[in-house]
Amino acid sequence: MSLIFEKSVDGRRGVTFSALDVPKYTLPPDAEYLRQSPAVLPEVSELDLVRHYDGLSSKAYGVDSGFYPLGSCTMKYNPKLCEDTAALDGFCQIHPLQGGLSAQGCLEAAYLLTEYLGRITGMDCGTLQPAAGAHGEFTSLLMIKAYFKSIGQNRTKIIVPDSAHGTNPASAAMAGFEVVNIPSDCDGFVDIDALDAAMDGGVAAFMLTNPNTLGLFEKNISKIAGIVHGRGGILYYDGANLNAVMGISRPGDLGFDIMHINLHKTFATPHGGGGPGAGPVLCKEFLGGFLPRPTVVKDKNGRYSLKDGVRGGKSIGKTRAFFGNFLVCIKALTYITALGAEGITDAARKAVLNANYMRALTSEFLPVGSGACMHEFVASCEELKRDSGVSALDVAKALIDCKMHPPTIYFPLIVHEAMMFEPTETESKQTIDAAVAALKQIIETAKTNPESIKSAPVSTPVGRPDEVKAARKPVLRF
Ligand SMILES: *Cc1c(COP(=O)(O)O)cnc(C)c1O
């Protein structure tokens, strides 16, 4: 497919401007703000433009196109209702510097979402500022740092399990902490002895993902909380994926002190292609004073306003311009209010049911670990690769030819040739059955004709791009 610039024809236009209704003014040729060379813009007709972008969009694959079981990413369907509310004038035609009195509805929406997220997680207060999960982790870690500073303790280390998402150690390092990695036990859970040994007086926090990246509900949380709190540390919950637990178990009740949530995973706001997302941080009261400012407060007359210093006023300052990705928050609020408490719980149960259904079918031809899973499961192509030379990457590429998005591969790192499937609650039995049938067919073909799998995909405009080169040496022509 050619670039829009390659379709450009001198003088061709896609817009007609209406007649000038103000006096014409010609800038003096030496005006400093006058561009000296003409702007490089494609010159195309309206139809050229429509065909170009419509053509591109039909080559892209999204949740609206088909099955998208990208583990750890929760690519669930994003109801169009959420887009409708986020597009309401009252939400999208406001100015971020507009006074609070004329933006009561927006402040109420932010207040309500923070409140609902607090109820879902069992936390006391929060901020909507962070723009993504990693940003929420970073914000939380700065708060944890400020907290220990305020009580005069010098704690410089953060413990992270080896199954953690890569953003956990990265955020801890960015916030100026030393990262201490601890191994998982043979079932993929936190190794309690390793935690016990690492948890000394220099550790500020332990970061735990639950369900963990193997899709398993951590079974020793009370014990873990006892060890971490017993040594004066903070227990952090990576709540990027609440899909299996929302409405069922609450991190705040389990002993966690602070956490982030990915609205762009669990709460049905679109993601992919880099955002925008939202990674709100929720915490217990004792950490509330360190939250980024401002926060929305409600007075006794029911009026909302933005307050800089609340709950003791030791805020870490701002971590994002204005109030975060506000319209993403509106989509999440719509999703939560549309589902209600019962709907949220029902979605979590169905997410777990779908993942276990798909896991059981897959276990007939690929190893999937032991025990029931939560919202996702991890299969391994290690044996397949040893016997046929076909790797998890090859299988993933072949799935593209079956008109589905591949699962996450090579994550978590603790499973060799990993394929991590997360069907989500929005998929039907028929879709899951068809996906498993396609997967099974690929595994069978791999054993008899491995070369055909290694040359997949054949149905896409580009077969197998050099991913390393594309990332390291991008060719950006325009
Ligand atoms: C996705 C994810 C993150 C990071 O979230 P981003 O919005 O991509 O920064 C962190 N932890 C876990 C467990 C995740 O799945």
Side-chain angles (χ1 to χ4, degrees):
M1 185 158 175
S2 51
L3 300 169
I4 185 100
F5 286 92
E6 290 162 349
K7 293 177 179 157
S8 181
V9 173
D10 284 353
R12 189 165 284 173
R13 290 288 177 270
V15 284
T16 313
F17 291 110
S18 45
L20 206 59
D21 58 358
V22 290
K24 187 171 167 135
Y25 178 75
T26 307
L27 289 168
D30 59 346
E32 64 170 316
Y33 34 77
L34 194 63
R35 197 192 314 245
Q36 292 309 317
S37 50
V40 182
L41 293 172
E43 296 180 79
V44 292
S45 71
E46 183 176 327
L47 181 56
D48 292 339
L49 185 83
V50 169
R51 287 198 177 140
H52 180 76
Y53 286 106
D54 202 60
L56 275 182
S57 78
S58 69
K59 285 190 168 49
Y61 189 91
V63 178
D64 291 359
S65 332
F67 193 39
Y68 209 129
L70 193 64
S72 186
C73 293
T74 314
M75 300 297 288
K76 65 169 77 174
Y77 174 66
N78 307 296
K80 300 302 169 243
L81 172 70
C82 302
E83 300 295 327
D84 289 348
T85 48
L88 290 173
D89 277 358
F91 291 131
C92 62
Q93 298 294 336
I94 55 160
H95 193 281
L97 293 177
Q98 188 171 325
L101 252 188
S102 65
Q104 284 294 299
C106 292
L107 293 182
E108 181 177 1
Y111 184 90
L112 266 184
L113 179 60
T114 313
E115 178 111 342
Y116 290 165
L117 294 176
R119 260 186 246 168
I120 291 169
T121 57
M123 294 289 177
D124 302 318
C125 43
T127 175
L128 304 178
Q129 264 184 41
H135 197 195
E137 294 165 19
F138 179 67
T139 301
S140 305
L141 288 158
L142 291 184
M143 290 171 61
I144 291 170
K145 201 172 191 179
Y147 165 72
F148 282 115
K149 194 169 170 215
S150 79
I151 57 169
Q153 289 187 14
N154 183 28
R155 291 179 181 248
T156 55
K157 296 184 283 188
I158 299 286
I159 305 180
V160 177
D162 62 358
S163 60
H165 195 274
T167 50
N168 288 189
S171 301
M174 270 185 72
F177 287 103
E178 181 194 330
V179 179
V180 180
N181 240 294
I182 58 164
S184 306
D185 68 16
C186 53
D187 296 321
F189 295 107
V190 171
D191 182 332
I192 297 290
D193 293 336
L195 173 66
D196 193 42
M199 189 65 219
D200 60 32
V203 174
F206 175 52
M207 297 178 84
L208 184 62
T209 305
N210 185 56
N212 68 18
T213 56
L214 286 171
L216 305 176
F217 196 97
E218 186 61 53
K219 56 184 178 187
N220 290 315
I221 292 181
S222 314
K223 219 182 257 174
I224 291 168
I227 293 172
V228 175
H229 289 151
R231 320 259 159 93
I234 284 183
L235 194 54
Y236 183 85
Y237 190 96
D238 179 335
N241 316 89
L242 287 185
N243 230 35
V245 296
M246 58 181 180
I248 296 169
S249 89
R250 308 196 308 167
D253 300 338
L254 299 175
F256 289 89
D257 304 300
I258 181 165
M259 66 181 295
H260 80 270
I261 301 173
N262 281 23
L263 297 186
H264 50 289
K265 288 180 182 166
T266 307
F267 294 102
T269 75
H271 65 297
V281 167
L282 283 303
C283 64
K284 292 277 175 68
E285 186 68 44
F286 78 99
L287 290 169
F290 303 95
L291 283 165
R293 63 185 164 78
T295 26
V296 181
V297 294
K298 183 181 181 181
D299 70 18
K300 56 183 188 305
N301 302 317
R303 190 167 288 173
Y304 298 91
S305 58
L306 288 161
K307 278 276 175 316
D308 260 1
V310 288
R311 299 173 192 270
K314 297 169 218 116
S315 167
I316 57 166
K318 273 177 134 357
T319 52
R320 180 87 175 41
F322 303 109
F323 317 108
N325 287 332
F326 180 66
L327 294 177
V328 173
C329 296
I330 295 299
K331 293 177 200 181
L333 179 62
T334 308
Y335 179 78
I336 291 171
T337 42
L339 284 184
E342 274 177 33
I344 294 266
T345 308
D346 187 50
R349 289 192 200 288
K350 285 179 177 148
V352 173
L353 177 64
N354 272 358
N356 278 290
Y357 178 65
M358 186 170 184
R359 179 183 170 282
L361 294 182
T362 305
S363 71
E364 287 168 18
F365 52 89
L366 275 184
V368 292
S370 60
C373 62
M374 291 283 113
H375 60 298
E376 61 193 3
F377 68 94
V378 180
S380 170
C381 292
E382 192 174 14
E383 278 171 34
L384 180 75
K385 187 175 176 193
R386 196 184 50 221
D387 299 343
S388 68
V390 170
S391 65
L393 176 79
D394 298 323
V395 175
K397 295 290 184 189
L399 282 168
I400 298 174
D401 281 336
C402 305
K403 301 280 167 281
M404 66 178 262
H405 195 284
T408 296
I409 52 173
Y410 299 106
F411 182 77
L413 305 175
I414 52 179
V415 175
H416 296 144
E417 296 295 322
M419 300 190 93
M420 185 191 216
F421 290 93
E422 181 181 5
T424 84
E425 74 280 12
T426 53
E427 298 298 337
S428 67
K429 177 176 182 295
Q430 287 73 16
T431 301
I432 296 175
D433 286 342
V436 174
L439 181 62
K440 187 173 183 189
Q441 181 66 50
I442 290 167
I443 304 294
E444 276 163 16
T445 309
K447 291 172 185 160
T448 52
N449 182 7
E451 287 317 307
S452 71
I453 304 296
K454 289 176 140 328
S455 56
V458 294
S459 63
T460 50
V462 180
R464 293 212 188 185
D466 182 338
E467 289 167 7
V468 174
K469 197 169 169 196
R472 298 222 171 127
K473 293 187 179 156
V475 181
L476 305 171
R477 284 204 284 163
F478 292 99

